[in-house]
Amino acid sequence: MDNADVFFHQIGVPFRLARGQGLRWDRNTPTMKITFCGAAGTTTGSKHLIEINGVRILLDCGLYQGRRKEAMERNRDFPFDPAQIDCVVLSHAHIDHAGNLPHLCKRGFSGNIYATPPTRDLCSIMLPDAAHIHESDIQWLNKHRKREDLPLLLPSYTKLDAENCMKQFVTLSYNRPMIIADGVSLTFIDAGHILGSAQVILDLEERATGKRSRLLFSGDVGRPENDLLEAAAPSADVDYVIMESTYGGRKHELPAQTSEHICHLIRLIQQRRAHMIIPAFAVERTQQLLYTLDKLRAENCFSPVPTYVDSPLAVRATEIFRLHLEDLKATVRESVFMRNDPFGFEGLHLVRSVDESKSLNKIKGPAIIISASGMAESGRILHHLRNNVSNEDNIILFVGYCAENTLGWKLRNGNPKVNILGDEFAVNAQIETLDSFSGHADHDELLAYFDRIKGSKQRVFLVHGEPERSSVLCEALKERHPQGKVEVASMMQSVEL
């Protein structure tokens, strides 16, 4: 062991973290540096690089989602050398935060990926699924490129790459500090966004100056009234904040309004003998929808209607929810234990095979079809939209955020025609939105969350928001917190602290 290896062995960091992974012992760097490599000026592709004591720590490694050409370029090219990253700290399993991990590992990253146990388990199904979608997308593009005599494309990573990167995960439960690098201690606390989602607390000591500070990365902040999860935990003694701003300037509907509207829409499709198509993320959103539908049905809000979850990923994710009941609200745990399972009510059909999925196109009469992905960018939802979007009797219900230029965003914003899997379709179906199902806190809830962050908060950087949303929240926080500096982070901005 050399001196560096001895030090890391003594503080409990795995031996392989210290050897051969590009650690830089630049003792002349007097300050910590943050570089915003993604989710700055947009809501996707979360990546924030922390450099301290010659160590590089990447907060999240998400896929950028948007226009195909731009997305492929951003996801293919890292603004840093993956082999020089020492470790990754992952806030949660959503693809815009975790989806580019297989590519990072393929390109030479060999360090630890720190995550909560539920996040690790969700990534074990979500990353291979995303890789399969990516490979299928490249295959579809190559068919067209071959006809036009264009060079064929290669996938950035494969399902096997996704499975291999799971070997690098190291799990850490909430409120259990762990030293992950020289002068860096990591603590996860609950973010209330999805199962296992975490706020990241890094306690930092700069070796060159002896300066100590605490950085909080919010990850995605959940709503305090979530049916399944507890609210985001408060934090203390925070000096620097990297905070999401997805719903800056916007307010979600009240729960009572949501319930009334859902019941109204379901009664409409029953009268019309039509379909309600709900694009929903396989993780948390689908489970929350099932919980709500079960609750409203028990309250006789509407008569029973066949409900289909057409997403193998969502089915597997629901099983992971059952494995981690300790991270759900007590009321949900009790429901599962008492066998009044909100994730398996009468009339619910869990669709796994492709043939079962195709058979849904032949359904007559009212039906609810919940399918991934939530932004309608990939997966089985595309086939259901193809078959239902032009029928004026049908309802397309969006229950969460859609990034700009995604198919979901175009439908939500009233585009009269949309392109789905290479063909154009008229949008005649009734388009509805319910942002109260969002896993993201709204403007007022973000302000309340910020107030629960105690400490000097001398620098606050807003990320994960479209420019207009981030700017509105920035102005509100400046008024609320004049003693600190609040700013909207920009792409590839580097800040020394």
Side-chain angles (χ1 to χ4, degrees), residues 254-272:
L254 296 172
Q257 293 173 321
T258 298
S259 297
E260 183 179 336
H261 195 50
I262 289 176
C263 291
H264 169 70
L265 294 178
I266 293 176
R267 289 194 291 263
L268 271 182
I269 63 163
Q270 289 177 320
Q271 291 168 12
R272 299 172 182 174

Side-chain angles (χ1 to χ4, degrees), residues 78-139:
F78 289 105
F80 46 76
D81 180 2
Q84 294 298 316
I85 300 298
D86 297 299
C87 65
V88 174
V89 179
L90 185 58
S91 65
H92 63 287
H94 273 156
I95 293 303
D96 61 329
H97 292 257
N100 221 12
L101 282 170
H103 187 207
L104 187 79
C105 296
K106 180 180 180 180
R107 291 278 299 277
F109 168 68
S110 57
N112 290 338
I113 301 168
Y114 295 99
T116 65
T119 294
R120 187 265 171 211
D121 289 349
L122 289 172
C123 281
S124 74
I125 61 172
M126 295 177 72
L127 296 182
D129 181 77
H132 171 72
I133 291 170
H134 174 57
E135 289 181 274
S136 299
D137 193 36
I138 294 296
Q139 189 177 36

